[in-house]
Amino acid sequence: MKRILLVDDDKDFGRTLERSLPSKGFEPRWVATAADALDAMAETEFAAVLCDVRMPKVDGLALCADIVDRRPDLPVILLTGFGTLDAAVAALRAGAYDFLSKPASLDTIAFALERAVRHHELQAEVQRLRRVASEARIEHSLVAKSAAMRRVLEAVGRVADSPASVLISGESGTGKEVVARAIHDNSGRKDRPFLAVNCAAMPPHLLESELFGHVRGAFTDARDARLGLFREAQGGTVLLDEIGDMAIELQPKLLRVLQERKVRPVGSSQEIPIDVRFVCATNRDLEERIAAKQFRDDLYFRIAVVEIALPPLRLRGAEDILAIAANAVLRFAGAQNKDVKGLSKAAAERLLAYDWPGNVRELVHCMEHAVIMTSYDQIGVDDLPPRLAHPRAGHNVPVSDAELVSLDVMERRYVEKVLAALHGNKAATARVLGIERRTLYRKLEAWGLSTPAEVEPEAR
C-alpha cells in the first residue's frame, strides 16, 4: 500500500477518497488544513500529497510551495474547481508535480497518484545510487578498513556538500591532501578546479601574490597581472596546506577573504567577489600556535568549522596497512607492466612490525621500491627497503632478524602499543583496532593483561 496524504477542507470529498483509494492500492490519510498536513508529514512518511487549492487560512498553492521547499523529493498534486490555464501555471510555479481539475473521477485521481508515487520512488532510487557512487568514490581514494578511518570516511561524506570550511589535521604523510580531494570530488564543485598551495613553501610576499594575485607593476618584476589562486579556483576548492605555518602578518588578509568572500589583488584598491570552498590542512597543533601568538584564534575558528583528525598509520591497525600496501603494489605493478600480485607472509609481517614514522606516504614509497626491485610475482622481505628488510638497532622495528615471532605475539605487541598510546583507554583502543570491546577484553585476559571481571559487563 502506498501511503498518501489528502489535504482538503471538504469533509465529504476527503472522507470519500479515504474510503475509496484503498481499493486502488493506496493507504490514504485525510486532513482538513495546511497546518494539519505539515504536522502529519512530521509524523509519517508519505509517497505523495493530493491537495485542494482553495482552503481557508493557507491555500493549496502556499502549502505546495512549503512542501516543495521542505521536501523537494515529495510530489504534490493540486486539485482545483477552476481548470483554467492560469490555475495550471500557478500550480506549476508553486512546484506541483501535477494538476487536476474538479470534479475528477476516482480512476483519474488514482492514475495521477500512481505516476506521482513512481516518480517519488525513482527519485529515492536516484538518491540511493548517488550515495552509493559517492561512497564508492571515497572508498577508492581512501582505504578505510579500521574503525578510526571509517569515521573519517563518514565525516567526508557528511561535509562534502556543505559550504563550511574544513580543517584537516594529522601528522605528515597521513593523507591530508587525499582527504581534501575526496571532499572536493564528492561535492557539487567536483567539475570545477581543485587547487592546492603549501603555505610553508614560500615567503609571505610571494605567498600573498600566489593567493590574492597582483596587478601589473604592483612590485618589482610584476610585469604582468596575475589572477591568483583564489580567483583561478572560482566555483571550486582551494586547499591551504600547512596553514599553521602561514606568516602571522598574512593571516588577517586571509581572514578577511574568508569573512567577506572578496579578494583584493596586491597593488589594487578593488575587491573582487569569489566563490570558493576552503579546506585547510596542518600537522601543527594550532592551539599551541595560538598560545604562542603565532596563529590568530579568530582565523582558527573561521577555518575549523568542521575539523577532521587523521590518525597516524601506526594506530590504524593491520587491516589498513596491508590494504594500502596491496593497493600500492597493484598500482605500481600495472604502471611498470610487471606481474606482481601481492606480498609474501614474511614481507607482510615486516610491514606490520614497523612504526611507519612517515605514515601512508612512506608505506606507498616502500611499495614502489619493492615493485621495482622484485623479480617474482610476490613481494619478498629482500625486496623491501633496507630499513625494513635488514633493520638495525635504533630503527622503529620491534622485531629483529634474530627474533622472528608468531602473529599472535605480534598482535599482542601491537595491542599493547595502542593501549599505551591511548593511556590505557580500552574503549578507545577497541575503536582504533576496529573490534568489539568484549573481544579486546578477552584478548587481554588471554594474554594475562586483564582480569575476568572486566569481561563481564560487556558479556551480559
Side-chain angles (χ1 to χ4, degrees):
M1 302 289 278
K2 300 127 186 166
R3 197 174 290 119
I4 303 298
L5 180 61
L6 307 173
V7 192
D8 199 317
D9 63 323
D10 185 335
K11 182 177 179 180
D12 292 337
F13 183 73
R15 291 298 187 194
T16 299
L17 283 182
E18 204 171 31
R19 288 192 301 267
S20 306
L21 283 174
S23 66
K24 300 293 186 180
F26 299 101
E27 181 185 335
R29 176 177 174 183
W30 169 72
V31 296
T33 67
D36 290 340
L38 295 176
D39 288 342
M41 287 174 56
E43 299 168 359
T44 309
E45 282 291 321
F46 295 98
V49 177
L50 180 68
C51 178
D52 189 29
V53 169
R54 288 209 163 184
M55 294 189 299
K57 295 184 179 178
V58 179
D59 65 18
L61 292 172
L63 175 60
C64 176
D66 198 355
I67 292 174
V68 170
D69 184 56
R70 295 171 186 234
R71 288 283 308 277
D73 61 314
L74 185 60
V76 179
I77 301 172
L78 289 176
L79 273 169
T80 180
F82 303 92
T84 64
L85 180 61
D86 287 345
V89 170
L92 294 175
R93 284 178 176 169
Y97 170 75
D98 204 350
F99 168 79
L100 298 177
S101 298
K102 286 185 177 180
S105 68
L106 179 62
D107 286 341
T108 300
I109 291 173
F111 179 75
L113 285 172
E114 186 65 40
R115 288 179 62 246
V117 168
R118 287 181 182 175
H119 174 77
H120 176 70
E121 292 171 346
L122 180 61
Q123 290 289 96
E125 179 64 9
V126 167
Q127 291 301 318
R128 186 190 70 80
L129 291 174
R130 282 177 178 166
R131 283 195 301 272
V132 170
S134 175
E135 290 170 4
R137 286 196 299 272
I138 299 174
E139 291 267 12
H140 180 71
S141 58
L142 287 173
V143 173
K145 305 291 185 184
S146 65
M149 282 304 293
R150 294 300 303 180
R151 288 192 290 274
V152 170
L153 202 71
E154 183 180 353
V156 170
R158 289 183 176 180
V159 79
D161 274 325
S162 165
S165 299
V166 179
L167 175 64
I168 305 168
S169 60
E171 295 178 8
S172 293
T174 48
K176 296 186 288 293
E177 184 166 345
V178 175
V179 172
R181 189 171 287 277
I183 291 171
H184 173 78
D185 289 345
N186 289 276
S187 73
R189 298 175 179 267
K190 61 182 180 294
D191 296 324
R192 304 298 297 163
F194 174 88
L195 301 179
V197 63
N198 188 327
C199 297
M202 56 186 77
H205 68 282
L206 290 182
L207 180 60
E208 182 178 5
S209 175
E210 180 77 11
L211 296 176
F212 296 83
H214 61 254
V215 298
R216 183 179 179 182
F219 51 84
T220 305
D221 295 331
R223 297 185 180 89
D224 297 301
R226 178 169 184 173
L227 286 178
L229 211 66
F230 293 154
R231 291 171 66 191
E232 290 172 7
Q234 185 74 1
T237 303
V238 166
L239 169 62
L240 298 174
D241 200 8
E242 305 303 348
I243 186 72
D245 293 304
M246 177 177 280
I248 192 72
E249 63 266 26
L250 194 53
Q251 292 176 27
K253 298 178 181 180
L254 175 60
L255 178 62
R256 180 169 177 81
V257 172
L258 289 165
Q259 290 174 333
E260 304 297 332
R261 299 290 161 167
K262 294 179 180 178
V263 62
R264 179 183 294 174
V266 177
S268 173
S269 60
Q270 181 183 7
E271 289 192 319
I272 301 166
I274 58 169
D275 173 23
V276 171
R277 168 75 174 279
F278 288 94
V279 179
C280 299
T282 183
N283 61 2
R284 300 275 195 171
D285 185 329
L286 291 188
E287 292 185 3
E288 287 185 0
R289 302 281 286 176
I290 291 170
K293 306 298 183 183
Q294 294 172 323
F295 202 84
R296 294 175 61 106
D297 55 357
D298 50 1
L299 178 58
Y300 171 75
F301 296 133
R302 180 65 67 173
I303 65 175
V305 177
V306 177
E307 185 166 357
I308 298 175
L310 293 186
L313 186 57
R314 61 185 173 275
L315 294 183
R316 286 174 58 173
E319 281 187 315
D320 276 12
I321 292 171
L322 295 181
I324 293 167
N327 286 354
V329 166
L330 293 177
R331 185 168 77 252
F332 291 126
Q336 298 173 37
N337 199 26
K338 297 184 74 170
D339 186 24
V340 185
K341 296 181 173 64
L343 298 161
S344 69
K345 180 180 177 182
E349 288 175 352
R350 293 297 175 93
L351 298 189
L352 296 181
Y354 188 64
D355 269 354
W356 299 111
N359 290 295
V360 176
R361 184 185 296 125
E362 183 184 10
L363 174 55
V364 171
H365 289 166
C366 284
M367 292 303 96
E368 184 176 15
H369 171 101
V371 170
I372 292 170
M373 299 304 294
T374 190
S375 301
Y376 305 98
D377 63 354
Q378 274 198 330
I379 301 295
V381 170
D382 289 339
D383 300 318
L384 298 172
R387 64 185 179 280
L388 276 81
H390 309 292
R392 302 188 305 273
H395 276 254
N396 293 323
V397 182
V399 182
S400 70
D401 281 335
E403 188 193 6
L404 299 178
V405 298
S406 68
L407 285 175
D408 184 65
V409 172
M410 191 177 296
E411 180 185 27
R412 171 179 169 169
R413 290 178 176 178
Y414 180 73
V415 171
E416 288 176 328
K417 186 186 300 183
V418 176
L419 263 174
L422 297 173
H423 309 291
N425 187 323
K426 295 183 178 66
T429 298
R431 286 196 297 272
V432 168
L433 295 173
I435 60 177
E436 295 289 338
R437 201 187 311 175
R438 59 174 170 267
T439 302
L440 175 63
Y441 285 149
R442 286 171 184 153
K443 287 179 181 291
L444 295 176
E445 182 188 1
W447 294 329
L449 301 175
S450 186
T451 62
E454 285 187 288
V455 181
E456 292 305 314
E458 246 344 271
R460 285 196 188 105

